[in-house]
Amino acid sequence: MLRNQVMASTTEEFSEGAFESFVETKALGKKPKSVERIVFATGKLAVELREKAATEKNTDWLQIISIEEIYPFPFTGVQEALKKYTNLKEIFWAQEEPKNMGAWTFVEPRLNAAAPGNLSVTYIGRKRRSSPAEGDPLVHKNEQQRIMTQAITRNNEGEK
């Protein structure tokens, strides 16, 4: 991720800016009242989701938020950010690690507590497993593609 231009900061951001514990994707969510789905992710997957969303048409309904600091969880900031999306219908957490690994078990109760109204967070990622990887690069690539497609395709439901 070191040389990825999606992750690069401008000189001004680097020298005069401040660390942000979560980052809303600037290219998405320009019409907050149109956003119906928010996908939270972290790290490399958040970047890959942004890159994939940039190739799609009509993404007014979507926002991707990257959690940059999991602990302490930026609860108040996330809760405030969610309030501006008044027509929100879905909140997802996407991760490439299996469900019993990665950040899901830590962020799930916090995102559910921050979610507005009767919305709850749904998981998108690999199923629970004893190994962190599939072991086959082709299977891994296909699973990664499934996760990203499910996260940014309308009218999908994640694994509960």
Side-chain angles (χ1 to χ4, degrees):
M1 303 308 312
L2 181 62
R3 291 175 184 81
N4 188 312
Q5 290 303 307
V6 173
M7 296 299 296
S9 297
T10 65
T11 305
E12 293 80 25
E13 290 171 329
F14 185 71
S15 61
E16 299 169 20
F19 175 76
E20 297 179 47
S21 55
F22 67 95
V23 178
E24 296 176 72
T25 304
K26 292 178 180 118
L28 299 172
K30 292 181 180 179
K31 299 176 187 172
K33 290 184 179 179
S34 298
V35 173
E36 296 178 358
R37 176 185 295 179
I38 292 181
V39 178
F40 286 94
T42 191
K44 182 173 81 73
L45 184 63
V47 174
E48 289 176 354
L49 287 170
R50 287 181 183 146
E51 289 173 337
K52 186 161 177 64
T55 66
E56 301 292 316
K57 295 179 182 169
N58 185 21
T59 54
D60 288 348
W61 60 276
L62 176 66
Q63 175 57 285
I64 298 169
I65 300 177
S66 175
I67 301 292
E68 301 293 320
E69 179 180 51
I70 294 176
Y71 184 86
F73 189 79
F75 181 82
T76 304
V78 168
Q79 190 175 44
E80 286 301 312
L82 290 173
K83 285 181 183 177
K84 71 180 167 196
Y85 301 107
T86 55
N87 291 316
L88 195 58
K89 295 178 182 169
E90 302 172 305
I91 301 174
F92 289 98
W93 172 262
Q95 71 179 32
E96 60 183 328
E97 298 89 357
K99 192 172 186 178
N100 57 319
M101 300 177 197
W104 168 246
T105 56
F106 181 79
V107 300
E108 185 265 335
R110 289 155 181 84
L111 286 175
N112 273 322
N118 60 351
L119 291 176
S120 62
V121 181
T122 303
Y123 171 85
I124 297 175
R126 288 172 170 76
K127 295 180 189 283
R128 294 178 182 275
R129 53 186 300 140
S130 60
S131 171
E134 282 87 359
D136 181 329
L138 183 59
V139 174
H140 174 81
K141 183 178 178 181
N142 289 341
E143 268 297 280
Q144 194 76 355
Q145 193 61 40
R146 179 196 60 81
I147 292 166
M148 290 194 303
T149 300
Q150 190 175 0
I152 67 165
T153 302
R154 235 177 169 161
N155 298 324
N156 276 345
E157 287 193 336
E159 175 191 335
K160 298 263 180 188

